[in-house]
Amino acid sequence: MQKAAPNLVDLARQFISIDTTTSHGTLTAAKWVSDLARLWNLNCEIIEETWNGIANANLLICAKNFEPSESPYILTTRLDTSDPGEYAVWTKTGANPFNASINGDSLFGLGTADSKLDFLCKLLAFRESSLHAQPTASLVGTFGRESGTGAIRLIRQKRIKPQGALVGAPTGLKMSRRAPGFAKVEITIALSDDERRYIEQQSGSEGATSQSKIFSRVQKQQAVDLGLLSNPILRMMDYLKNLPSGIAILSVDGGTSAELQPDFVELEVQIVDHLQDGVISKLISVCELIKKLAVELKSVEAKEFLPAHSTINVGQIRMLPEQVVISGICRLVPTAHREIYDKWLERMRVDCAAAGAQFHILDYKPPFISNGDAPFFNLLKRVSSKMGFDSGEITARQCTEANVFQRLGVETVIFGPGVELGNDPISLEHVKISELNSAIDFYREVLLTQEVLK
């Protein structure tokens, strides 16, 4: 007697309930996926990796008696998600981002659209296709978000050598051959010796008094723009201009990652009369430099992208014992050549140095544009047409593993259920259940079509 088909919604709820945020890692989720794959008679290998001190994993899944390194094509999706921010804003999930909740045809929760459930769709498609044939493709689960760290490690280890890669990201079930690049940047401002000593004294003083202020993210912003004016970090830095002299910052903290706008920033200050040339004046200068860079990034347009220009997001600020650290992401459209971006970022480095700060580029991925006449893309178009999907293409709004694979000469396409535009990853992330089912059908057909072609 054949076992009943697995229930998509039940599995989705279980998967979403597993924390795969960047601060937690993907190893626990990888083990859950591995148990499912083996239950469904698929080969599954977990490759444990440590990234930024966190336990992560890459997953390699394929049919029995097959090796992933022999796969001409791979279906791949990241398992990790952004950190959820403040739980209270997750109103659709009962103030718990890991509690996948249904509202009509929509499933809400962290990772529903970007992009854990896309991986689940691929896994279910592998199960179904393996009942009829032995797919020669492999399913790859990675980690690293925009950095593509997991995919890069697999390639360096020679665990995968694909000719084509179908990369998961929310595109509304449309194919994408274009996506922006990104530069992860960091600005550090050292505290003066006097500031460090003063803060140490105040932290151990029971009678010390200070004033605190919270800056919240402005929610009413255009969905197509990162909205620097709504960013609480920039709003906090602007606020510093209005403070009188003789003010010291005791602490400042906001944001969970460079990629996302923080929900709020907490600032604690104290009146003091003997500190000169402190971190406040440098933060004010850096704020103006960030705004200046944002204007320069808008000067080159790429109409097929949305927004139609490069942008900068300031996602995190921390006050450490020795310095204040500001982290952000520059989203780079391909219209401007690398030399232009290099010039802008080098000018930012020089200007920050003049303001008493240091500007660093921690990671860089060039924009992704693939060949529209490539055999793998044509295969996917035929399957899409056969299934009656919208034949139009879309430009992806985020950097993915596609930026890594394409640079290595792999035919790469981005595709997945859900849409990123208007799909707030902080609190209202969701995907339509009907799109998840359509994605399963699409991936199954791709896997079976490859069997026919091979």
Side-chain angles (χ1 to χ4, degrees):
M1 182 176 178
Q2 190 176 15
K3 294 182 180 179
N7 184 283
L8 169 63
V9 173
D10 288 346
L11 289 175
R13 282 178 161 155
Q14 293 178 50
F15 200 19
I16 295 302
S17 72
I18 303 172
D19 187 346
T20 60
T21 56
T22 52
S23 59
H24 185 274
T26 62
L27 182 57
T28 302
K31 292 178 178 178
W32 181 84
V33 169
S34 177
D35 289 343
L36 270 184
R38 289 169 180 147
L39 178 66
W40 296 339
N41 204 34
L42 299 170
N43 280 340
C44 181
E45 181 181 3
I46 298 176
I47 304 169
E48 297 188 22
E49 301 276 5
T50 299
W51 184 46
N52 293 334
I54 305 296
N56 282 277
N58 281 317
L59 274 173
L60 297 177
I61 298 174
C62 59
K64 289 289 186 181
N65 305 315
F66 198 78
E67 289 295 327
S69 60
E70 299 173 356
S71 297
Y73 304 110
I74 62 171
L75 279 62
T76 181
T77 303
R78 290 179 286 101
L79 300 182
D80 56 340
T81 69
S82 62
D83 288 305
E86 188 179 2
Y87 278 34
V89 300
W90 288 82
T91 56
K92 297 288 187 179
T93 59
N96 180 0
F98 304 104
N99 175 34
S101 304
I102 296 176
N103 186 344
D105 187 38
S106 294
L107 189 62
F108 288 81
L110 183 65
T112 51
D114 188 20
S115 295
K116 286 167 66 174
L117 295 192
D118 175 73
F119 182 88
L120 180 61
C121 290
K122 289 170 179 169
L123 181 62
L124 288 165
F126 258 83
R127 173 195 171 274
E128 293 180 17
S129 62
S130 65
L131 297 175
H132 306 283
Q134 187 180 55
T136 57
S138 291
L139 173 56
V140 178
T142 64
F143 63 93
R145 293 188 60 75
E146 279 116 333
S147 70
T149 301
I152 291 171
R153 292 188 180 182
L154 284 173
I155 293 168
R156 288 175 177 171
Q157 296 163 0
K158 298 182 179 179
R159 306 302 296 269
I160 54 174
K161 296 181 289 185
Q163 301 168 23
L166 182 55
V167 175
T171 65
L173 299 180
K174 294 183 180 180
M175 286 181 286
S176 173
R177 296 183 296 106
R178 298 182 297 272
F182 92 122
K184 185 174 183 178
V185 299
E186 182 180 89
I187 300 172
T188 58
I189 304 174
L191 302 179
S192 68
D193 292 339
D194 286 344
E195 283 179 307
R196 289 196 298 270
R197 282 192 293 266
Y198 183 78
I199 293 171
E200 289 174 3
Q201 292 170 1
Q202 297 307 303
S203 63
S205 174
E206 294 183 0
T209 59
S210 62
Q211 298 181 25
S212 298
K213 186 173 178 63
I214 295 178
F215 300 83
S216 299
R217 181 163 62 104
V218 177
Q219 299 293 337
K220 293 182 178 180
Q221 64 185 80
Q222 290 184 355
V224 298
D225 200 336
L226 290 172
L228 280 182
L229 293 178
S230 74
N231 188 300
I233 296 177
L234 274 294
R235 293 177 59 227
M236 181 276 298
M237 294 165 80
D238 268 332
Y239 169 79
L240 297 178
K241 299 176 186 177
N242 302 319
L243 297 182
S245 58
I247 298 292
I249 295 180
L250 298 185
S251 69
V252 59
D253 184 270
T256 58
S257 71
E259 291 87 354
L260 301 172
Q261 277 202 28
D263 290 317
F264 60 88
V265 173
E266 296 179 281
L267 174 70
E268 183 181 6
V269 298
Q270 190 172 54
I271 299 175
V272 59
D273 59 3
H274 64 278
L275 291 181
Q276 301 295 326
D277 193 28
V279 72
I280 288 181
S281 62
K282 297 172 184 177
L283 280 169
I284 293 171
S285 297
V286 166
C287 179
E288 295 307 311
L289 292 176
I290 292 172
K291 293 178 182 178
K292 179 181 176 182
L293 176 61
V295 172
E296 290 184 331
L297 291 175
K298 289 183 177 181
S299 64
V300 178
E301 292 189 349
K303 293 183 178 179
E304 70 274 19
F305 283 79
L306 194 64
H309 53 77
S310 299
T311 55
I312 181 170
N313 175 64
V314 184
Q316 190 174 48
I317 186 168
R318 291 283 185 273
M319 190 169 187
L320 305 178
E322 302 289 328
Q323 61 189 0
V324 174
V325 181
I326 304 166
S327 304
I329 292 290
C330 291
R331 170 189 169 275
L332 309 173
V333 297
T335 315
H337 297 299
R338 173 71 184 268
E339 293 77 12
I340 297 176
Y341 289 129
D342 286 345
K343 181 183 69 174
W344 287 341
L345 297 177
E346 174 61 18
R347 185 185 305 146
M348 185 72 175
R349 185 190 67 80
V350 172
D351 290 345
C352 280
Q358 292 186 326
F359 178 81
H360 310 275
I361 300 176
L362 303 182
D363 193 7
Y364 176 83
K365 295 291 182 298
F368 155 66
I369 301 180
S370 66
N371 181 5
D373 294 323
F376 187 49
F377 182 66
N378 287 329
L379 180 155
L380 297 174
K381 283 199 299 185
R382 289 196 296 272
V383 173
S384 179
S385 176
K386 177 181 178 180
M387 300 189 66
F389 284 4
D390 188 338
S391 59
E393 293 183 41
I394 190 173
T395 298
R397 297 191 64 236
Q398 61 179 313
C399 182
T400 66
E401 296 96 327
N403 299 59
V404 175
F405 287 122
Q406 186 63 29
R407 191 171 48 176
L408 298 175
V410 178
E411 297 176 14
T412 308
V413 177
I414 302 172
F415 177 93
V419 292
E420 186 176 17
L421 182 62
N423 192 14
D424 185 355
I426 299 296
S427 61
L428 294 176
E429 183 178 354
H430 65 279
V431 67
K432 291 183 178 180
I433 298 172
S434 56
E435 282 197 16
L436 295 176
N437 283 307
S438 295
I440 294 171
D441 293 341
F442 177 81
Y443 295 138
R444 182 185 61 241
E445 193 67 26
V446 169
L447 292 168
L448 294 176
T449 301
Q450 285 186 38
E451 282 299 313
V452 172
L453 292 179
K454 297 301 288 186

